[in-house]
């Protein structure tokens, strides 16, 4: 069965600092991996996705993620965080054409 | 505007009642997914439809049902409502090829 673990419930970083949000997945086949962001009262917006190929993927808003098959991880990174990045971040795993399972989310707070 | 339309945005109803949530997918998307988001359960996959047919079922209660119509819009019916059903209900759509989902802004259901 597919599942996603986001070990960090809440992370606080200073504006301008680097960010890494952790994600570990369990999936029987080659996974489709995603990161979404949710601002308060909003729906989820796709940041980036990985299916195959280059294991470092670039997304919107300056985010990137690296797929590491040996560690079953798909961590999200950003070199310099902006106050507007404060939100909830969800990692998800799914299959082509199939449903997607989400992690519990990591809430990001940005200190001025 | 993500292209996925959910109505109503807010719904307050009493225990024991029945409600219908509506979703219009993004133009061209054949798959519709329903998710429930609550503080204690996170984002839970409920059900997926593809071109009118049920494709996958998640943690959907027997009191809940859904359907997708020929014009591809979908409805989620929740009956015999309980206080614990209070949550955000999201609809998402996709072409079906694994490109990730496009989420609507959700329906916030409050059961009193």
């Amino acid at each position: 069965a597919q599942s996603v673990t986001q070990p960090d419930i809440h992370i606080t970083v200073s504006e301008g600092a680097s960010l890494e949000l952790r994600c570990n997945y369990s999936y029987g086949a080659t996974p489709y991996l995603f990161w979404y962001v949710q601002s308060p009262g909003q729906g989820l917006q796709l940041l980036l996705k990985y299916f195959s190929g280059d294991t470092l993927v670039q997304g919107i808003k300056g985010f990137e993620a690296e797929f590491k098959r040996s560690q079953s991880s798909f961590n999200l990174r950003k070199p310099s965080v902006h106050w507007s990045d404060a939100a909830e971040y969800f990692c998800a795993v799914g299959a082509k054409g199939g449903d997607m399972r989400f992690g519990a989310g990591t809430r990001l707070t940005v200190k001025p | 505007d993500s292209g996925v339309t959910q109505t109503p945005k807010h719904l307050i109803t009493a225990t024991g009642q029945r409600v219908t949530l509506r979703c219009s997918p993004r133009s061209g998307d054949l798959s519709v997914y329903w998710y429930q988001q609550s503080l204690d359960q996170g984002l839970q996959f409920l059900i997926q439809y593809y071109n009118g047919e049920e494709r996958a079922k998640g943690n959907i209660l027997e009191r809940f049902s859904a359907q997708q119509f020929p014009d591809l819009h979908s409805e989620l019916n929740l009956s015999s409502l309980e206080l614990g059903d209070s949550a955000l209900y999201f609809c998402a759509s996709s072409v079906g090829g694994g490109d990730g989902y496009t989420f609507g802004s959700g329906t916030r259901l409050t059961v009193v």
Side-chain angles (χ1 to χ4, degrees), chain A residues 69-81:
Chain A
R69 184 185 299 275
S70 61
Q71 298 177 19
S72 297
S73 69
F74 188 57
N75 294 348
L76 181 71
R77 302 194 294 248
K78 186 169 185 177
S80 177
V81 169

Side-chain angles (χ1 to χ4, degrees), chain A residues 34 36 38 51 96-100, chain B residues 35 37 48 96-98 100-101:
Chain A
F34 308 86
Y36 284 82
Q38 183 181 28
F51 303 144
K96 181 178 180 178
D99 64 282
M100 194 183 301
Chain B
Y35 284 82
Q37 185 178 37
Q48 175 198 1
Y101 301 171

Side-chain angles (χ1 to χ4, degrees), chain B residues 20-36:
Chain B
T20 297
L21 313 183
R22 182 188 168 99
C23 169
S24 294
R26 194 179 56 165
S27 178
D29 286 354
L30 298 179
S31 276
V32 169
Y33 310 81
W34 287 98
Y35 284 82
Q36 179 193 59

